[in-house]
Amino acid sequence: MSFTLSRALWATRPLTRRGLLPVVAATPTPYSLPTTEYRRSITKYVRIIVKEELPHGKGYKGDVVQVKAGYARNYLIPQKFAIYATRQNFLRLDMKDPDLETAEEKSARLLREASQEDDQDLKAADILRKYLSNKTLTIWREVDETGLVPLNKKGVTHRVIRKKLGIQLKIDLDDHEVIHLKPDPVEMEELDDEKIETIMKEELPTSKDEVCKTDIRKHGDFIGRIWLAGDFHIPLKISVVEQ
């Protein structure tokens, strides 16, 4: 009885459990994937019109870009950084949808935008030039008996100038804006605007890509140059004095 019952029970077990069929792993379906991975695979994007510069340089005013739907819905739209790129919004802003532009319209728009950027760069350069015209950046350094900043102390480099501009004169330069320094001191009272322009043109690097290696380690007056967007050059007066 017991033997017969055991065989009967064995016969009712699934074929895979009885060793008659190989066990094959089930093929995963989207519904069996981990929740985060599945959500990532169906992330939706939307087009937006940028109204204010986006964080981390992801878009600038007037740009039409694609972003994640949740990012637009939960942050960009409520914070007034952007609006949805709908037909009604293009009409309201008097803008042409870039996706509907002809090649000629696109070329004309790019030329127009480039011209506007040049005008903005020129205005920014003029404002900074006027602001700095009667200002001197002062930096304090101790020197030894030879009149030089000791080697174990920090000299005055373009990085120091960039930091001091923000602290003293409230000028925060962008990463693409470059500072070059004349290594030798000058007699500031003998310099007029024309002579300063000559120094910047003849005694400082001629390429914006050239990294300034000047390390000022003595007291005196010095000339620097701020290289802005649009290749505009602004003179900077620097005074290194006893701490």
Side-chain angles (χ1 to χ4, degrees), residues 176-178 180 205-211 227-231:
H176 66 270
E177 295 170 330
V178 177
H180 288 136
T206 57
S207 172
K208 186 177 181 180
D209 297 329
E210 186 173 341
V211 178
W227 203 319
L228 302 177
D231 284 342

Side-chain angles (χ1 to χ4, degrees), residues 11 34 41 47 68 82 85 121 125 162 196 210 223:
S41 68
R47 294 172 73 226
K68 291 182 179 179
D121 292 341
R162 182 182 291 270
I196 291 175
E210 186 173 341
I223 292 295

Side-chain angles (χ1 to χ4, degrees), residues 109-140:
R109 176 175 59 82
L110 293 177
L111 286 173
R112 185 169 60 252
E113 291 175 354
S115 177
Q116 292 173 350
E117 288 178 1
D118 289 342
D119 290 343
Q120 291 173 355
D121 292 341
L122 177 59
K123 290 177 182 178
D126 285 341
I127 291 172
L128 184 59
R129 184 184 297 273
K130 291 176 181 177
Y131 178 71
L132 290 176
S133 62
N134 61 350
K135 291 180 174 58
T136 298
L137 184 69
T138 303
I139 299 177
W140 291 266

Side-chain angles (χ1 to χ4, degrees), residues 25-83:
T27 302
T29 66
Y31 302 101
S32 64
L33 293 174
T35 303
T36 54
E37 184 177 348
Y38 179 54
R39 286 179 180 172
R40 192 180 302 118
S41 68
I42 61 172
T43 298
K44 293 183 179 179
Y45 288 81
V46 295
R47 294 172 73 226
I48 59 171
I49 303 171
V50 180
K51 296 182 66 179
E52 299 293 340
E53 181 177 342
L54 300 186
H56 312 298
K58 292 183 178 179
Y60 299 90
K61 186 175 182 179
D63 288 351
V64 180
V65 298
Q66 278 195 339
V67 298
K68 291 182 179 179
Y71 183 44
R73 180 179 63 253
N74 299 324
Y75 180 69
L76 297 181
I77 305 299
Q79 296 296 325
K80 310 297 185 183
F81 279 104
I83 57 177

Side-chain angles (χ1 to χ4, degrees), residues 176-194:
H176 66 270
E177 295 170 330
V178 177
I179 297 173
H180 288 136
L181 302 173
K182 174 177 165 56
D184 302 317
V186 298
E187 296 295 334
M188 198 68 73
E189 62 274 6
E190 298 178 2
L191 299 179
D192 55 20
D193 291 344
E194 184 177 349

